[in-house]
Amino acid sequence: MQSSDRPIFVVGCPRSGTTLFRVMLHAHPRIAIPPESKFLMPAYRRRTRFQDLQLRENRQLLAEWITRRQDNGFPDLQLDADTVANEIVDGPPTLGSAMGIVFRAYAQKFGKDRWGDKRPSYYGFMDELDHLFPDAQFIHVIRDGRAAVASIKRKTDLPPKGDSLKSMATWIQAVDACRRSGKKLGPERYFEVRYEDIIADPEREMRAVCAFLGEEFHPGMCAPEQIAAEVTPATWSHQKQILRGVNDESVELWRQQLEPWEVATLERAAGGRLRSLGYELSGIGGRAPLTKVLQLVLLHRRFTAELAARRLSDRRQLADSEQPVASLLTKGQLDYAAQPQSRPRPSIVPKRVRHAVRWRLRRLRRALRSSASAVSESSD
């Protein structure tokens, strides 16, 4: 089996088991996945601030932005900031390369060849990650939506901060967004694994994951508790959970933690998705409150419209820019860069038309919000 150096990204709805899965992946002797970074997408959104990265001084500015901030997750990687900054300055002149150098340095700290990242919010940024790392592989960790909502509701420091309906809309959006991006990526780059299946038979599932990644299975992947203290910051509550190892303690807790109306509402609005993912409907909630179902549907439509608008804007910005963002670190990335690229055509839509489209999107979002508020008031 030929060794791979392709990046790996773990995505999924918050509270879906991505942290446990990340440590299981890290237990592989060739794979290093760090604690959640917080600089990748912020850097992507701010890429125009760093201007032309062909210029060394601009790469220096980007390197300092990544390595000197204390609120972006870089300190959790426990890397030497000066060394990483110098590698970025001396590295290829693209944003993806700078990001990849950070993750590569983390992997090298453990003597490993493959690197990547894990962050649940990446479910809405898979297209952008594909722009940055055109050879990356994505693993979507799926959990029963009822269990994910119960866990989000219990952990009130997470957005949407205990709001059941927003938690449900987030789960639906995460599943839809990942699968939509995964369809474009294809089976060679996108893979789904269910949290419940990992818990039930970790070896079988991790063997399937390794086959997707093109790696040999390693037994240590089924015992994440053995490395939890080494690769998870002690201040994180996740560490205590992982130290308990792979267990089924929380698989069915949602049955006690969710109110009947919450179960009924999610099963009514997303029953088709639950069944398609292999989850049986419980029916324990009885008849779903119509106002709650309508609120959930409107929330999901709003989230979908906002994601579509953001991606449309992003594609236009990429098309209008002369500066590439794709990483140039791995063999696959270099091979991709050497091929003739069918660059998107710059925007030729008249400005007045673009403004009209944006105005209509804003009007739609306001209407959806107003409808949701009206439904909420009537239900009260």
Side-chain angles (χ1 to χ4, degrees):
M1 185 180 295
Q2 186 177 2
S3 296
S4 173
D5 58 358
R6 301 171 69 179
I8 304 166
F9 289 95
V10 179
V11 301
C13 179
R15 309 301 292 177
S16 290
T18 55
T19 297
L20 173 67
F21 184 76
R22 167 245 158 189
V23 179
M24 295 175 79
L25 271 185
H26 189 93
H28 192 282
R30 280 185 23 85
I31 299 172
I33 308 293
E36 293 183 14
S37 67
K38 301 174 184 177
F39 52 79
L40 185 50
M41 282 303 106
Y44 183 82
R45 290 193 295 267
R46 293 170 172 81
R47 61 189 181 277
T48 56
R49 295 186 186 181
F50 306 113
Q51 301 181 26
D52 185 0
L53 294 180
Q54 294 280 352
L55 301 177
R56 187 179 180 88
E57 57 266 30
N58 291 337
R59 296 200 298 278
Q60 181 71 51
L61 180 67
L62 172 60
E64 291 178 357
W65 186 88
I66 296 171
T67 61
R68 302 303 176 191
R69 295 173 64 93
Q70 296 299 309
D71 59 350
N72 65 359
F74 182 84
D76 291 331
L77 305 182
Q78 298 182 353
L79 300 172
D80 183 80
D82 291 335
T83 300
V84 174
N86 289 336
E87 288 185 23
I88 292 173
V89 173
D90 294 335
T94 68
L95 180 66
S97 300
M99 302 294 107
I101 284 171
V102 179
F103 297 124
R104 185 180 64 182
Y106 181 81
Q108 290 173 343
K109 184 174 74 169
F110 294 94
K112 299 184 178 185
D113 298 315
R114 294 192 72 173
W115 41 271
D117 198 16
K118 186 280 293 186
R119 191 164 175 79
S121 62
Y122 285 163
Y123 71 77
F125 294 96
M126 289 174 62
D127 289 11
E128 290 83 348
L129 290 169
D130 180 43
H131 298 326
L132 289 167
F133 307 100
D135 63 337
Q137 292 181 286
F138 295 82
I139 302 175
H140 177 196
V141 181
I142 300 171
R143 187 180 186 184
D144 187 327
R146 296 159 295 192
V149 168
S151 186
I152 296 173
K153 178 183 174 182
R154 186 174 68 253
K155 194 171 178 61
T156 55
D157 61 322
L158 282 175
K161 300 187 184 301
D163 186 313
S164 297
L165 289 177
K166 286 186 178 179
S167 300
M168 295 177 200
T170 297
W171 181 82
I172 297 171
Q173 176 73 338
V175 170
D176 288 357
C178 284
R179 292 192 137 187
R180 193 175 299 116
S181 294
K183 186 176 181 179
K184 289 186 289 186
L185 292 167
E188 196 268 337
R189 298 186 59 199
Y190 173 78
F191 185 79
E192 294 180 351
V193 60
R194 296 197 326 165
Y195 171 77
E196 293 81 6
D197 294 336
I198 296 172
I199 297 301
D201 194 338
E203 181 173 339
R204 179 192 64 200
E205 296 306 307
M206 297 314 291
R207 283 186 180 276
V209 168
C210 286
F212 164 70
L213 296 174
E215 299 288 348
E216 296 288 346
F217 169 73
H218 188 272
M221 302 176 79
C222 299
E225 68 276 9
Q226 295 181 0
I227 65 167
E230 177 186 4
V231 301
T232 306
T235 55
W236 287 25
S237 61
H238 302 305
Q239 189 187 95
K240 295 180 180 178
Q241 298 173 359
I242 301 169
L243 284 170
R244 294 199 294 268
V246 180
N247 63 78
D248 61 359
E249 295 174 2
S250 61
V251 171
E252 295 291 332
L253 280 180
W254 63 268
R255 296 180 182 273
Q256 291 79 46
Q257 294 173 340
L258 291 182
E259 298 291 335
W261 74 264
E262 293 173 316
V263 176
T265 299
L266 183 59
E267 291 187 352
R268 173 72 181 274
R273 291 178 180 83
L274 288 167
R275 284 192 294 265
S276 72
L277 295 169
Y279 300 110
E280 295 183 2
L281 302 190
S282 68
I284 63 175
R287 187 176 179 84
L290 183 59
T291 54
K292 297 295 185 183
V293 174
L294 182 55
Q295 281 180 269
L296 175 54
V297 170
L298 291 173
L299 274 172
H300 175 242
R301 288 181 179 176
R302 190 185 101 198
F303 289 177
T304 300
E306 290 172 350
L307 177 59
R310 175 169 60 76
R311 284 186 167 165
L312 177 63
S313 175
D314 181 66
R315 287 194 297 271
R316 186 169 64 244
Q317 289 175 13
L318 285 176
D320 290 340
S321 174
E322 294 295 331
Q323 300 175 25
V325 298
S327 176
L328 299 170
L329 298 179
T330 68
K331 181 181 182 302
Q333 293 162 9
L334 292 171
D335 290 344
Y336 176 83
Q339 299 171 4
Q341 302 300 319
S342 56
R343 231 177 129 260
R345 294 179 60 185
S347 177
I348 58 174
V349 179
K351 184 178 292 186
R352 66 179 182 278
V353 176
R354 297 204 302 269
H355 286 172
V357 171
R358 284 198 292 270
W359 177 80
R360 288 181 181 274
L361 286 172
R362 286 197 295 268
R363 188 176 180 183
L364 174 61
R365 288 196 291 270
R366 285 197 298 268
L368 290 173
R369 284 195 291 268
S370 297
S371 299
S373 298
V375 170
S376 178
E377 290 174 2
S378 64
S379 64
D380 295 339

